[in-house]
Amino acid sequence: MTSLATSIGGRTFDNCMMNAAGIRCQNKKDLDALVASRAGAYVTKSATPQKRAGNPSPRMHTLPNKGSINSMGLPNNGLDYYLDYVVDDQHKRPDATNFLSVAGTSLEDNLAMLHQIQESEYHGFVELNLSCPNVPGKPQVGYDFDRVNEVLDEVFKFYTKPLGVKLPPYFDLVHFDQIAAILNQYPLTFVNSINSIGNALVVDPQTERVVIRPKGGFGGIGGASVKPTALANVRGLALRLKPEIAIVGTGGITTGVDVFEHILCGASMVQIGTQFGYEGTAIFDRLAEELKAIMNQKGYTNITEFRGKLKTFDD
Ligand code: DHB
């Protein structure tokens, strides 16, 4: 029997695939569909303390070759909505672990939300999003290393439940060294890499105009074209993080082979954003069958047999 099961921080998941935050996870109906699907877990839309409408439309645009650009601006129903959902789900399915994403637009908001979660009965994972590129005037914390340190210092003064961070993509090996050195100082359960490649610009030559309204057209790129950047970040972090910190690989997954590559680079779990948006929950059936097929061809029966085992020309 080929198993797609995985474990992170002592919690087990029967499938190593799930949605990426923001995609089809904003309301109860979306989340119920994920629960009913073959995904191994779900993550909720990144929450702010209060409900937000987000940026004006058009704020997402489909790109050729399985891509997307977005500047949603954190539309969400507010932390209470998602915390109620995950706590209720925890009562219904006590053995399942899921991910609650929070993305305050200030340190104070993040600390207030984490205090509320700490005091609640929720005991699942929290994904602290340090990489939202789309709120005008609010730079991504993940690109300010001193600020990342400060946030985690404050958080771990009181937060004792399993926590991970969602990071932006990095593009220099020195930056991998620097972020890993900071993350390794904290009892993080996981690191999720990557968020969208932020502040890209897509131009429509026909209309001579940008394709999304917010921020003069600047937005985050997702989909197939970000896979090499995602794999580099998963691998770069896997080589540098202490083994207690699991890696959740996100970016550019459209096939079971893409999932296989993320796991080879060191991911324990993978998240699918853009392509899940296009296909809906049926994608988890397709990817599961495709990953099983490649594992069967290679004689692997579970993902730990190849996780992190990427070869280089130096091996
Ligand atoms: C949004 C986009 C992101 O990439 C993110 O991490 C959080 C929020 C958004 O625009 O809503």
Side-chain angles (χ1 to χ4, degrees), residues 21-22 45-46 54-55 59 70-75 101 103 129-135 166 195-196 220:
K45 171 68 185 171
S46 292
N55 293 336
R59 56 191 188 178
N70 88 84
S71 182
M72 304 299 287
L74 275 172
S101 173
N129 185 350
L130 301 180
S131 49
C132 173
N134 299 337
V135 179
K166 176 87 173 265
N195 208 315
S196 59

Side-chain angles (χ1 to χ4, degrees), residues 74 85 142 176 256:
L74 275 172
Y85 186 89
F176 292 152

Side-chain angles (χ1 to χ4, degrees), residues 168-210:
Y170 299 104
F171 302 96
D172 195 287
L173 301 187
V174 163
H175 292 160
F176 292 152
D177 292 340
Q178 291 172 342
I179 193 70
I182 293 166
L183 299 173
N184 279 336
Q185 297 172 355
Y186 298 98
L188 286 162
T189 300
F190 67 92
V191 163
N192 185 344
S193 177
I194 60 172
N195 208 315
S196 59
I197 299 183
N199 295 301
L201 192 65
V202 172
V203 171
D204 180 346
Q206 208 68 44
T207 57
E208 306 179 10
R209 199 175 64 186
V210 298

Side-chain angles (χ1 to χ4, degrees), residues 44-310:
T44 55
K45 171 68 185 171
S46 292
T48 51
Q50 308 302 328
K51 189 176 165 77
R52 279 173 64 96
N55 293 336
S57 294
R59 56 191 188 178
M60 207 280 279
H61 188 86
T62 298
L63 302 178
N65 304 317
K66 304 181 174 179
S68 65
I69 182 169
N70 88 84
S71 182
M72 304 299 287
L74 275 172
N76 77 93
N77 290 309
L79 178 64
D80 289 349
Y81 181 95
Y82 301 105
L83 189 53
D84 284 350
Y85 186 89
V86 294
V87 167
D88 185 48
D89 188 24
Q90 203 172 258
H91 289 143
K92 292 183 195 143
R93 303 185 304 146
D95 296 332
T97 296
N98 290 289
F99 295 60
L100 174 64
S101 173
V102 297
T105 57
S106 67
L107 174 59
E108 294 67 36
D109 280 1
N110 278 328
L111 296 177
M113 288 191 286
L114 290 169
H115 269 294
Q116 186 178 339
I117 299 164
Q118 176 71 32
E119 284 149 28
S120 76
E121 58 183 298
Y122 181 62
H123 52 67
F125 289 179
V126 166
E127 182 173 288
L128 174 62
N129 185 350
L130 301 180
S131 49
C132 173
N134 299 337
V135 179
K138 304 282 182 186
Q140 292 170 74
V141 172
Y143 286 135
D144 180 340
F145 295 116
D146 292 340
R147 190 71 169 162
V148 173
N149 221 338
E150 192 183 345
V151 169
L152 294 178
D153 255 350
E154 293 298 325
V155 167
F156 284 113
K157 279 181 184 162
F158 66 91
Y159 198 78
T160 58
K161 296 178 179 182
L163 183 85
V165 287
K166 176 87 173 265
L167 299 174
Y170 299 104
F171 302 96
D172 195 287
L173 301 187
V174 163
H175 292 160
F176 292 152
D177 292 340
Q178 291 172 342
I179 193 70
I182 293 166
L183 299 173
N184 279 336
Q185 297 172 355
Y186 298 98
L188 286 162
T189 300
F190 67 92
V191 163
N192 185 344
S193 177
I194 60 172
N195 208 315
S196 59
I197 299 183
N199 295 301
L201 192 65
V202 172
V203 171
D204 180 346
Q206 208 68 44
T207 57
E208 306 179 10
R209 199 175 64 186
V210 298
V211 299
I212 55 174
R213 186 184 300 274
K215 293 178 65 176
F218 284 70
I221 300 290
S225 69
V226 312
K227 187 178 75 169
T229 300
L231 294 177
N233 277 264
V234 168
R235 171 75 166 169
L237 291 169
L239 293 174
R240 291 168 176 80
L241 290 176
K242 58 187 180 182
E244 306 92 282
I245 304 181
I247 298 178
V248 177
T250 305
I253 294 173
T254 66
T255 69
V257 174
D258 298 329
V259 176
F260 183 78
E261 292 175 8
H262 265 268
I263 297 169
L264 267 182
C265 288
S268 292
M269 175 76 108
V270 300
Q271 296 185 342
I272 300 105
T274 297
Q275 193 64 26
F276 169 50
Y278 296 151
E279 282 182 51
T281 54
I283 195 172
F284 298 108
D285 297 301
R286 178 174 68 79
L287 295 182
E289 293 314 311
E290 290 175 0
L291 178 59
K292 273 190 187 173
I294 182 168
M295 287 172 64
N296 288 340
Q297 271 168 35
K298 290 168 173 285
Y300 293 128
T301 57
N302 70 73
I303 72 167
T304 61
E305 292 166 355
F306 58 96
R307 192 182 64 229
K309 304 227 168 110
L310 182 70

